[in-house]
Amino acid sequence: MSPHSRAWWLGLAGLLLTLAALPAYALTMDQPFLRSTGLVAWTLVAAGLTLALVAVIRTRRRAAKWILGVHVALVIFAFYAFFGFARLPRPSMLAADSVAPAFTLPSSSGEQVSLARLLQDGPVLLAFYRGEW
Amino acid sequence: MSELRGLAAINDDLKDMNVTLAGVSTDTPEAARRVVERHKLPFQILSDPKCQTIAAFGLVHKNAGPGGTDIAIPAQILIGRDGKILGRRVARLIQDRPSANETLENVRLFLAEAQRTRRVG
């Protein structure tokens, strides 16, 4: 294989690995740990970036450098999306040890449920989540 | 939604500690019922479409929901029998979710902490 085609081959294979991170993340989102850390996706990105870097070092071709450039831009964007854009607002915290605000809300089983009623059976763990959409 | 299934898996462990689990979201009661049925959840989901209770707990993520509506910041809050907040775990990133084990550990920790301070105080 000529250095030129090898540069292309390695660089593109690397890019493909990095792009595979997106479906990989979607598929592993069911696991809270993988969802929180993106471990599978970031491992793919690291492998892809390594391949692109190897292509540049081994072939010193301009094509490989271009692919690496595109690659780095993609990874920077992904980093921003994962750690920057996804940042949540700081909650306006109730003071520690404060009394939880009382509430009565309609429930999935069709009744009105109050915090006071729930507390009759012991401590209550409320899981706030973003909804079905 | 993955965290709800995780919570379903530890519902019995929580019951052993006398802890009642309930979900809270801006879904309508009808949507909440669908979620409960689809995932066979052994606990109730409370419906707070106007974000009133969510706001009272300081957990509003403004304009982040469908059509720019307000929704909840993902969080778990443990409330003691006396109504006091014993501990909480609030997500810092949208994708951040505690595993079922982490939730269980947190609850144990919060309960133990509450018991210790009660004895000292």
Side-chain angles (χ1 to χ4, degrees), chain A residues 5-43:
Chain A
S5 62
R6 199 167 60 202
W8 272 107
W9 193 89
L10 272 175
L12 285 179
L15 203 54
L16 225 66
L17 269 182
T18 293
L19 290 177
L22 210 57
Y25 185 68
L27 285 174
T28 52
M29 237 166 106
D30 235 27
Q31 294 290 325
F33 175 73
L34 297 179
R35 180 188 175 133
S36 298
T37 60
L39 188 65
V40 173
W42 290 117
T43 307

Side-chain angles (χ1 to χ4, degrees), chain A residues 25 30 35-36 82 86 88 90-92 94 98 100 106-109 119 123-132, chain B residues 1-3 5 20 22-24 27 38 44-45 47 58 61 75-77 79-80 83 85 88 92-95 97:
Chain A
Y25 185 68
D30 235 27
R35 180 188 175 133
S36 298
F82 199 83
L88 290 164
R90 289 291 207 96
S92 47
L94 301 161
S98 57
S107 88
S108 48
S109 47
L119 284 172
V124 170
L125 180 63
L126 292 179
F128 292 84
Y129 71 101
R130 294 170 72 79
E132 194 196 21
Chain B
M1 220 58 75
S2 57
E3 77 261 36
R5 282 201 294 281
T20 307
V24 184
D27 283 345
R38 186 169 347 123
Q44 289 187 316
I45 292 178
S47 183
H61 190 183
Q76 296 178 351
I77 296 186
I79 302 166
I85 292 176
R88 71 196 111 204
R92 302 294 304 278
L93 298 172
I94 285 173
Q95 65 270 23
R97 296 288 182 281

Side-chain angles (χ1 to χ4, degrees), chain B residues 61-114:
Chain B
H61 190 183
K62 270 208 157 313
N63 312 326
T69 51
D70 297 347
I71 54 172
I73 298 170
Q76 296 178 351
I77 296 186
L78 185 68
I79 302 166
R81 193 184 273 269
D82 55 0
K84 276 192 181 157
I85 292 176
L86 302 183
R88 71 196 111 204
R89 192 246 189 237
V90 183
R92 302 294 304 278
L93 298 172
I94 285 173
Q95 65 270 23
D96 179 22
R97 296 288 182 281
S99 68
N101 272 332
E102 186 189 335
T103 297
L104 211 49
E105 247 161 65
N106 280 342
V107 168
R108 284 204 185 101
L109 195 81
F110 296 154
L111 288 178
E113 186 78 15

Side-chain angles (χ1 to χ4, degrees), chain B residues 54-67:
Chain B
I54 292 164
F57 279 88
L59 292 170
V60 178
H61 190 183
K62 270 208 157 313
N63 312 326

